[in-house]
Every structure is written in structure tokens, then in C-alpha cells.
Amino acid sequence: MYSINIAGWDNGRYAWNVAPDNIYLPSGSGGLTVDDAYASTVGWDGVTYYGSHSCSTGNCFTYANAYLNYYYTSGYSAATIQGVAAHELGHAIGLGHAGGCVLMTAYTSTRNSCGVFGPTNDDNNGTIALY
């Protein structure tokens, strides 16, 4: 894994771990994996694939695989990479895209112009509603 992406994942995970919504993302292996890719033919700087299955409470998490695209992140600041990583981790824990100056906005450029590199109140409220 590219070192700037490793730092981005660590910083994105830390941003969720210190948020007031009681989401804790430990490092290590399990159902959530993070990695990087180098793909110049795609438009994404980060992507998350996830799965769930039916259970007594509705849908239960099965796995999530999140990626940072080094083709883009190699030119990003550390804060921007953290924002992309935290955004993808938000998808991994069940959040969808949202509008405005929030972590879960679909666009890195919007997060940057808003100075959002970790969960906002709206993002935290989303996880509280889920869990």
C-alpha cells in the first residue's frame, strides 16, 4: 500500500474514532478491509464495496472493502486524503451520500471547499440513527 494512503486511512479512522457518535473502527483485519488501487481510467478517488444479509433487525453487515485510488491521491494533500478515507469509511459503516458541507457529500472538491475532512454533526447524526 502507498504510504500516503496508509496515513490517510489511519487519519480517517481516527476522525471517526474521536467523533461523538460512539463509532469505533479498530485497526486490523476483519469484515472491513482498506486498501489502495492505481486506476487511471476511472473517475473515483475512493470507492467502497459492501455487502449485507437479512437478519432479525433488518439488514446486517457482512463485509466492506474500501479503496483509495493512488492515481488521484498521489496529488492530494494529507487532509484531502484523510477526507476521502473518512468518507469511504462512512460508506463502510452504512452511510450514503448527502448534500452540503458534510463528510458524506459525493464530491471531494465540495469537502475541500468546505474544509470537511472528518465527520460533521450531520454525519454523526446519521450513524446515531443507524446504530
Side-chain angles (χ1 to χ4, degrees):
M1 194 179 312
Y2 298 100
S3 62
I4 63 170
N5 285 349
I6 292 170
W9 285 123
D10 287 343
N11 293 337
R13 185 172 49 81
Y14 177 78
W16 277 107
N17 289 346
V18 299
D21 56 6
N22 293 320
I23 296 293
Y24 181 71
L25 302 171
S27 63
S29 62
L32 169 60
T33 62
V34 297
D35 206 344
D36 56 13
Y38 186 93
S40 61
T41 60
V42 299
W44 53 262
D45 53 9
V47 67
T48 300
Y49 303 103
Y50 57 91
S52 62
H53 65 277
S54 295
C55 63
S56 62
T57 59
N59 286 319
C60 291
F61 172 84
T62 303
Y63 72 88
N65 302 324
Y67 298 89
L68 294 177
N69 187 350
Y70 188 71
Y71 176 76
Y72 295 102
T73 61
S74 64
Y76 286 177
S77 70
T80 299
I81 298 169
Q82 174 184 320
V84 175
H87 173 89
E88 294 308 325
L89 290 170
H91 284 311
I93 59 177
L95 296 177
H97 285 142
C101 286
V102 296
L103 180 65
M104 295 312 297
T105 187
Y107 303 104
T108 300
S109 59
T110 302
R111 285 190 301 274
N112 283 345
S113 66
C114 294
V116 174
F117 307 108
T120 65
N121 285 337
D122 183 72
D123 304 302
N124 292 323
N125 288 337
T127 58
I128 290 167
L130 285 173
Y131 301 102

